[in-house]
């Protein structure tokens, strides 16, 4: 079973929210243009989900993909912060999507500061969630905050992995850049949670802090610590391949993810210019991401690791 553990959808009322700032941003405008999304916001929402389903079905190596919900921002008192919420994709919306498509899996998202966080997590577990997704930079949470500890204990109890963004973020507005360090996830590991560090702590643009060394250290030291390869096929993140592929202990901790609808770009320095140009003709971005990683030499264990970590039958 080859699982892409990291793909996104967007939503609008009543399924979520996209702020005016997000919709006006260059990355969001480019994504809409590149995917040919037109019409009302509801029509774009539906077209994006339908396009994703078609790509998963047409990607020859993929068995399924984890579609990620995205919880709203909550403040330190557990209150909803609409002003800072630029993307919201409800758990109910993603649950409905995956019920309609056997090749989609439910990745829930629950903000740990919510007063009802554990109750929401339990509802998602009952709804078939295979992991819980966080993006601390954008959702306004510190993974080392004591407010997260009870949530970690619930994740460990239900054996639900935590997929948490690490490193830089440019696709969405950020609230706190200081929470990008993978080391902040140590309290989760110490409480028995299986943690998947999205993007392996990489920079999203030059001159940002680089957390790949911290990712490598945790991957060596903690049995339940993994990293997904989502968005590593962006030019700003190519540099990480040298670190994560050269260390055999770290290679054994890598999990397949694409970060769709991020557009994967093959690294010419590693696959060759001719191969890179040929790969760019692959219009199915999920399939392109797979093909790039095949050319980079990812082994059979890598392709099957997500299914094992997510405890899929």
């Amino acid at each position: 079973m080859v699982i892409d553990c990291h793909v996104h959808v967007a939503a609008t009322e009543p399924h979520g929210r996209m702020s005016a700032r997000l919709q006006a941003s260059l990355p969001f405008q480019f994504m809409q243009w590149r995917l040919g999304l037109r019409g009302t916001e509801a029509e774009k929402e539906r077209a994006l989900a339908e396009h994703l389903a078609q790509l998963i079905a047409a990607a020859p190596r993929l068995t399924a993909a984890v579609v990620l919900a995205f919880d709203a921002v909550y403040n330190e008192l557990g209150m909803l912060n609409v002003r800072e919420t630029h993307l919201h994709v409800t758990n109910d919306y993603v649950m409905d999507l995956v019920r309609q498509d056997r090749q989609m899996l439910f990745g829930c998202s629950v903000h740990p500061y919510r007063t009802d966080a554990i109750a929401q997590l339990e509802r998602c577990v009952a709804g078939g969630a295979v992991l819980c997704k966080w993006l601390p930079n954008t959702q306004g949470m510190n993974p080392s905050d004591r407010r997260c500890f009870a949530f970690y204990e619930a994740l460990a109890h239900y054996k639900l992995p935590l997929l948490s963004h690490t490193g830089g973020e440019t696709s969405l507005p950020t609230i706190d850049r200081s929470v990008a360090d993978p080391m902040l996830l140590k309290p989760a590991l110490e409480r028995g949670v299986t943690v998947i560090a999205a993007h392996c702590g990489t920079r999203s643009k030059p001159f940002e802090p680089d957390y790949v060394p911290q990712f490598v250290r945790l991957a060596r030291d903690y049995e339940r610590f993994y990293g997904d390869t989502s968005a590593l096929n962006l030019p700003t993140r190519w540099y990480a391949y040298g670190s994560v592929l050269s260390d055999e202990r770290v290679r054994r901790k890598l999990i397949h993810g694409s970060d769709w609808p991020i557009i994967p770009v093959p690294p010419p320095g590693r696959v060759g210019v001719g191969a890179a140009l040929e790969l760019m003709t692959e219009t199915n971005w999920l399939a392109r991401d797979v093909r790039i990683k095949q050319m980079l030499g990812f082994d059979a264990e890598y392709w099957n690791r997500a299914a094992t970590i997510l405890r899929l039958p």
Side-chain angles (χ1 to χ4, degrees), residues 183-199:
M183 285 294 177
L184 299 176
L185 292 160
K186 286 180 70 173
L189 294 164
E190 291 164 354
R191 285 160 179 79
V193 180
T194 295
V195 175
I196 305 169
H199 321 305

Side-chain angles (χ1 to χ4, degrees), residues 9-259:
V9 289
T12 188
E13 295 290 348
H15 304 136
R17 179 175 189 265
M18 293 179 284
S19 71
R21 178 181 171 186
L22 174 62
Q23 295 187 62
S25 68
L26 285 176
F28 192 83
Q29 290 290 323
F30 178 74
M31 181 202 71
Q32 289 191 100
W33 170 77
R34 193 66 181 81
L35 292 171
L37 300 179
R38 300 179 181 87
T40 66
E41 295 308 313
E43 289 170 338
K44 293 176 185 177
E45 171 193 295
R46 183 167 57 252
L48 186 67
E50 290 173 353
H51 186 54
L52 173 59
Q54 292 165 4
L55 293 181
I56 298 170
R61 283 296 307 275
L62 279 184
T63 308
V66 181
V67 182
L68 302 174
F70 200 87
D71 205 358
V73 175
Y74 287 79
N75 65 23
E76 295 181 350
L77 299 177
M79 305 298 292
L80 176 65
N81 186 341
V82 175
R83 186 177 62 86
E84 295 283 6
T85 299
H86 298 288
L87 176 67
H88 183 203
V89 181
T90 67
N91 290 306
D92 286 336
Y93 174 62
V94 179
M95 276 193 266
D96 287 341
L97 285 182
V98 304
R99 289 191 192 106
Q100 300 167 33
D101 193 321
R102 292 171 62 94
Q103 289 188 282
M104 289 183 174
L105 302 170
F106 173 31
C108 73
S109 182
V110 179
H111 198 297
Y113 295 177
R114 295 176 62 135
T115 56
D116 63 345
I118 293 177
Q120 286 296 323
L121 179 67
E122 291 172 340
R123 191 174 69 86
C124 291
V125 170
V130 298
L131 58 79
C132 180
K133 171 70 165 79
W134 287 355
L135 204 170
N137 317 37
T138 293
Q139 290 177 304
M141 61 184 71
N142 184 334
S144 68
D145 194 304
R146 295 185 63 85
R147 280 180 285 263
C148 301
F149 292 0
F151 193 81
Y152 291 150
E153 290 167 4
L155 286 172
H157 173 76
Y158 289 109
K159 296 182 172 60
L160 195 72
L162 174 64
L163 173 64
S164 185
H165 179 106
T166 57
E169 170 62 31
T170 55
S171 298
L172 296 172
T174 58
I175 294 175
D176 185 356
R177 300 180 190 278
S178 71
V179 293
D181 189 344
M183 285 294 177
L184 299 176
L185 292 160
K186 286 180 70 173
L189 294 164
E190 291 164 354
R191 285 160 179 79
V193 180
T194 295
V195 175
I196 305 169
H199 321 305
C200 301
T202 48
R203 294 187 296 260
S204 60
K205 55 188 175 184
F207 310 115
E208 281 185 340
D210 176 20
Y211 296 107
V212 173
Q214 288 89 328
F215 165 77
V216 168
R217 194 178 318 150
L218 290 169
R220 290 172 175 171
D221 291 348
Y222 287 89
E223 179 184 357
R224 293 190 179 90
F225 186 80
Y226 299 85
D228 83 13
T229 59
S230 63
L232 292 195
N233 285 325
L234 286 178
T236 53
R237 301 185 195 262
W238 285 341
Y239 75 94
Y241 278 130
S243 298
V244 302
L245 293 179
S246 62
D247 187 318
E248 184 58 36
R249 288 179 295 175
V250 177
R251 283 179 70 109
R252 291 198 296 266
K253 294 300 194 71
L254 299 179
I255 293 175
H256 179 57
S258 65
D259 207 12

